[in-house]
Structure formats: C-alpha cells, structure tokens
Amino acid sequence: MRVHFIAIGGSAMHNLAIALYLKGFNVSGSDDEIFEPSKSRLASYGLLPQNEGWDVNNISDDLDAIILGMHARKDNPELLKAQELGLKIFSYPEYLYEQTKDKKRVVIGGSHGKTTTTAMVMHVLKVLEMDFDYMVGAQLEGFDTMVKLSKEAPIAVFEGDEYLSSPIDLTPKFHWYKPQVAMLTGIAWDHMNVFPTWENYISQFSIFADSMPDKSSLVYFDGDEELRKLASSVKNRLDVEAYNTLANKNVDGQTIVVWEGKEYAMEVFGEHNLQNMNGARLLCNQLDISDDDFLKAMQSFKGAAKRLQLLERKDFTNIYLDFAHSPSKLKATTSAMKKQFEKRRLIAVMELHTFSSLSKEFLPQYKDTMNEADQAVVFFNPEVLKHKKLPSISTEEVYQAFGNDNLIVMTESEQLVNWLRNLELANSNLLIMTSGNFSGVDIKALAADLI
C-alpha cells in the first residue's frame, strides 16, 4: 500500500504515519512546518520530508490513499491535485476505522478524562500481555508511539475526540469509529469555535451513541445528567452500564482502592481518576478481564503525560503538571489536589491558551473553578489573542470572570517565571495547568529549578 500524508507533522498524523510504516506500508508525507518531537521521530524512521512545503509532484495516481491532516487548508495544492486525480482521501480517524473495521473496537469519549482512561485500558492490556491496536492522544510510558496498527491484534482501543476530522471532513473524529464497546466520561461544553451552542455540542454525543452497532456496550458516568438522559434514550438498543467513583481511602497521601474486601494501593489519585478507573474496569470486563486482574494491573499505572503528572518531589513539596484548561477540568484537578494533600498549601497556576478559554463570551464559565487553591494564578498572552484573531481581554475581565479574591492575573511569561522562583514552597504543592507552555517556558526544567 502506498499512502501519502498531507500535513504529516501533526501529533496524531505523524504517529499514524509511523504505525503504517511499521505495518509494512510505503509511506510518504509533506508539511509546511514540522516541530519537535514530530521532526525527530519522523526522521528516525526515514519519514521526514526532504523539504518543507507542498509539492504537487508528491501526488500521483499510483497512490492508494491520501490521509489529510487538520493543519492543511482546503486550497492546499497537493489536496487539489489528489481531488483532480480522483484519489481516495481520508481523514486520520476515517483511516483508523478502515484499518480496524474487522476488530473489536473500544472507544473512550467525553469532554474530559479521555486520554487518562484510554491509557488505563492500554496499561492493563499490556500488563496482561493481550495484543491490541490503539490510538491515544498523549505519549505514554511503556509505549513507543501514540498509534499502533497490526494485522494480528483482535482489539483496537481508541481515544474518541469530538473535534473535527479534517478541513474537508467536518465529522467529529469519534463518529467514525463505530465501536462495539464504548465509554463516555462526561459532557462539559468545549470547542465553542466549532460547536457554538451547548445544544449543538451535546448532540455530538448522541450521534456517537447512534453510530454504535445494535447490542453494543455503552459505559457512562452516572454523575452526569446529560449522559443519564442519553443512556435512557438508547437503552433499548444498546447495553448500557453506569459507573461512579470507586470506593477508596487516603492513607498518608496514597489512595487505596477498596474492592470486595481487598485493598489495592494506587499511584494515581483524585476523584476523576477513580471514576475513570471504574469506567475502565467495566470496559475491561467486556474484554474478559476480571476485576481483580484489572485492579492488580492498575497498581503500577502512573498516569498519562500532563494528567496530574508528578514532575518533581522533595520532602513536603510536590510539583504537578496537568493539561487542564476547560472550566470543568480546572475545577476537578484543583479540587483533587487539595483533597489529596489537605495539610499542604496549594498554589495553582493555569494558562488561558485555547480558542474557547480566550473568548470573552466563554470566560464567565470559569467562575469559582480555582477557589480551592490557597493561591491561584491565571496567565494569558495578549499576543495569542491577536494570533487567534480574537477580541482583546483585560486582566480585570479575567479577574472578574474567575470571581476569586485570591487571584493573581499575569500577562508576561518572564513575570510569571520570576514570581514562581520567589515562592516559598515548603509544605506546599505547585499545580501547573496548561495546554500550552506559558509562551515558551520549559516547564519541566523550571520545576527542577524550583524544587
């Protein structure tokens, strides 16, 4: 098979390119800019384009498939040539389905917790030495790539993102997968640039459930009102099963799961993690994995990158990094940290970086989300608003939106770094939450310096 990637440098795209190469495909690709770590990883497999930019000579009628990334535009010259030749053009989620349509597909969707729950299922399958294909939205410890495709594996585990598939395919990614086993973690409005209303956003999850074959299994979080409504509407066609927080106790900062009279000491903590873990347990039940085997395997799970990831630890100070940026994620992550370490001061720092978070209309959604922190800091870069062509926002508007008298708002990266360096961190935890990097900060190196 000859496959060409237009915009090969994307996070998911370059991982799919590597996965197909390892499967024996003839893979080529192009992009107008490729950053690390994609650049080095593509180069290590001989897949890095020789030149940056688009070249219609890359497109010929002997290609079996074109895979189009979101970074490309509708008027991309390579795309136009492929359309002119009548070549088969796929988005990457559509192609993932093509490669796994004869397998048992397990898909984890929802507004939050997708990556973590997918990582949990993958970790258990690996510990139990079960063969499986996968796609996950973060680089996980113990896995060389974020995508694996094979001929032999009977199972495929996918993180189900609701964002759009490609510039010419406005289907939410998870609508392509048509899983026989699925989980929905919760619904909280996100991606308002694509789904401008709450009703439009939640409808995507109903469409996802409708895409599942009859008698498929849908696992859902019982604490979400919208998911309860959804489960009720499909229960005559699908096998639905609810989950909530696993029974647990906190012993000296470590979470112990209590299940059927046994205790399982875990590396991860927080109510959301324990909810996700319970959902992952039910998914694994569908793959003939017992509760005991699941919980034993989970004891060595350390979490996904940037999901309450412990960066540094010393004496009575921990520094964590989390991807949290939406209001629901921000509140849950801050709360989890405070509850786990009640006797420590919590300093929570977050960055407004996404389209939604920087939108004036969306800012009020952040009210009271960081109230459990002893010191809360919000950072945003006005230049990012200009780049995203959004109306400017002021520090006062951010301060008012969060509704926290203990909030500090900063707009300069150097100012934030200097403030952090002058912190007294004894008997304190620092929680850093961002989907970016505070305008160029090496967060891991900073954490090492601070500790």
Side-chain angles (χ1 to χ4, degrees), residues 75 103 108 126 139 162-163 170 183 191 212 237 249 254 274 276 333 391 422 427:
D75 62 354
K103 301 174 186 277
I108 296 93
K126 184 173 184 179
Q139 190 64 53
E162 68 270 25
Y163 203 72
L170 303 184
M183 172 175 159
H191 309 305
M212 297 172 65
R237 194 178 68 81
K249 58 185 180 181
Q254 181 171 43
L274 293 165
N276 294 334
T333 304
N422 288 315
N427 199 36

Side-chain angles (χ1 to χ4, degrees), residues 315-379:
D315 300 330
F316 296 99
T317 300
N318 293 1
I319 301 179
Y320 291 88
L321 176 62
D322 198 275
F323 192 70
H325 53 84
S326 69
S328 60
K329 295 173 185 175
L330 196 61
K331 188 170 186 176
T333 304
T334 304
S335 177
M337 282 291 301
K338 191 60 183 177
K339 287 178 181 176
Q340 192 71 9
F341 300 95
E342 291 179 340
K343 296 180 180 178
R344 293 190 193 178
R345 181 170 176 251
L346 174 58
I347 303 151
V349 181
M350 76 85 61
E351 177 179 15
L352 298 172
H353 182 71
T354 64
F355 184 98
S356 295
S357 68
L358 289 166
S359 299
K360 276 191 180 186
E361 297 82 2
F362 193 78
L363 270 179
Q365 304 282 330
Y366 284 99
K367 185 173 175 55
D368 299 334
T369 53
M370 298 179 76
N371 285 3
E372 291 196 56
D374 297 288
Q375 177 63 69
V377 178
V378 173
F379 170 87

Side-chain angles (χ1 to χ4, degrees), residues 188-434:
W189 192 21
D190 203 356
H191 309 305
M192 67 175 293
N193 55 321
V194 175
F195 309 111
T197 67
W198 167 244
E199 291 73 21
N200 180 231
Y201 181 70
I202 62 175
S203 69
Q204 306 310 316
F205 296 89
S206 295
I207 296 170
F208 171 72
D210 291 342
S211 75
M212 297 172 65
D214 288 350
K215 301 302 180 186
S216 297
S217 297
L218 176 62
V219 172
Y220 69 97
F221 175 51
D222 188 46
D224 188 293
E225 181 182 358
E226 294 296 338
L227 288 184
R228 289 198 301 270
K229 292 178 189 175
L230 174 58
S232 178
S233 70
V234 300
K235 65 182 179 182
N236 292 329
R237 194 178 68 81
L238 304 178
D239 295 327
V240 298
E241 191 168 9
Y243 69 90
N244 215 302
T245 310
L246 279 169
N248 67 93
K249 58 185 180 181
N250 183 348
V251 179
D252 297 327
Q254 181 171 43
T255 294
I256 312 292
V257 169
V258 182
W259 185 263
E260 295 184 344
K262 291 185 179 181
E263 295 186 354
Y264 303 84
M266 297 294 171
E267 295 275 351
V268 294
F269 64 87
E271 193 168 19
H272 266 205
N273 268 329
L274 293 165
Q275 291 163 1
N276 294 334
M277 195 184 299
N278 207 10
R281 176 185 64 83
L282 294 176
L283 294 181
C284 287
N285 287 168
Q286 294 291 328
L287 303 176
D288 299 321
I289 296 169
S290 71
D291 294 335
D292 184 57
D293 284 344
F294 171 83
L295 291 167
K296 283 178 179 175
M298 279 302 302
Q299 290 185 277
S300 55
F301 179 72
K302 295 181 180 179
K306 293 191 75 173
R307 274 74 180 177
L308 276 177
Q309 177 186 0
L310 179 63
L311 295 182
E312 296 290 341
R313 172 192 288 156
K314 182 179 180 182
D315 300 330
F316 296 99
T317 300
N318 293 1
I319 301 179
Y320 291 88
L321 176 62
D322 198 275
F323 192 70
H325 53 84
S326 69
S328 60
K329 295 173 185 175
L330 196 61
K331 188 170 186 176
T333 304
T334 304
S335 177
M337 282 291 301
K338 191 60 183 177
K339 287 178 181 176
Q340 192 71 9
F341 300 95
E342 291 179 340
K343 296 180 180 178
R344 293 190 193 178
R345 181 170 176 251
L346 174 58
I347 303 151
V349 181
M350 76 85 61
E351 177 179 15
L352 298 172
H353 182 71
T354 64
F355 184 98
S356 295
S357 68
L358 289 166
S359 299
K360 276 191 180 186
E361 297 82 2
F362 193 78
L363 270 179
Q365 304 282 330
Y366 284 99
K367 185 173 175 55
D368 299 334
T369 53
M370 298 179 76
N371 285 3
E372 291 196 56
D374 297 288
Q375 177 63 69
V377 178
V378 173
F379 170 87
F380 73 95
N381 184 343
E383 294 300 317
V384 174
L385 285 124
K386 294 179 184 177
H387 179 73
K388 294 180 184 288
K389 298 180 179 177
L390 289 167
S392 63
I393 57 176
S394 68
T395 56
E396 181 60 27
E397 285 172 320
V398 172
Y399 181 83
Q400 293 295 333
F402 276 78
N404 185 333
D405 292 337
N406 200 30
L407 182 70
I408 299 173
V409 183
M410 300 187 192
T411 59
E412 295 181 7
S413 183
E414 186 177 353
Q415 177 193 15
L416 174 63
V417 170
N418 288 336
W419 184 85
L420 289 170
R421 290 190 187 281
N422 288 315
L423 276 178
E424 174 52 62
L425 288 175
N427 199 36
S428 301
N429 284 347
L430 173 60
L431 172 60
I432 302 170
M433 296 174 284
T434 179

Side-chain angles (χ1 to χ4, degrees), residues 429-445:
N429 284 347
L430 173 60
L431 172 60
I432 302 170
M433 296 174 284
T434 179
S435 61
N437 58 18
F438 298 96
S439 299
V441 175
D442 185 333
I443 296 174
K444 291 185 178 180

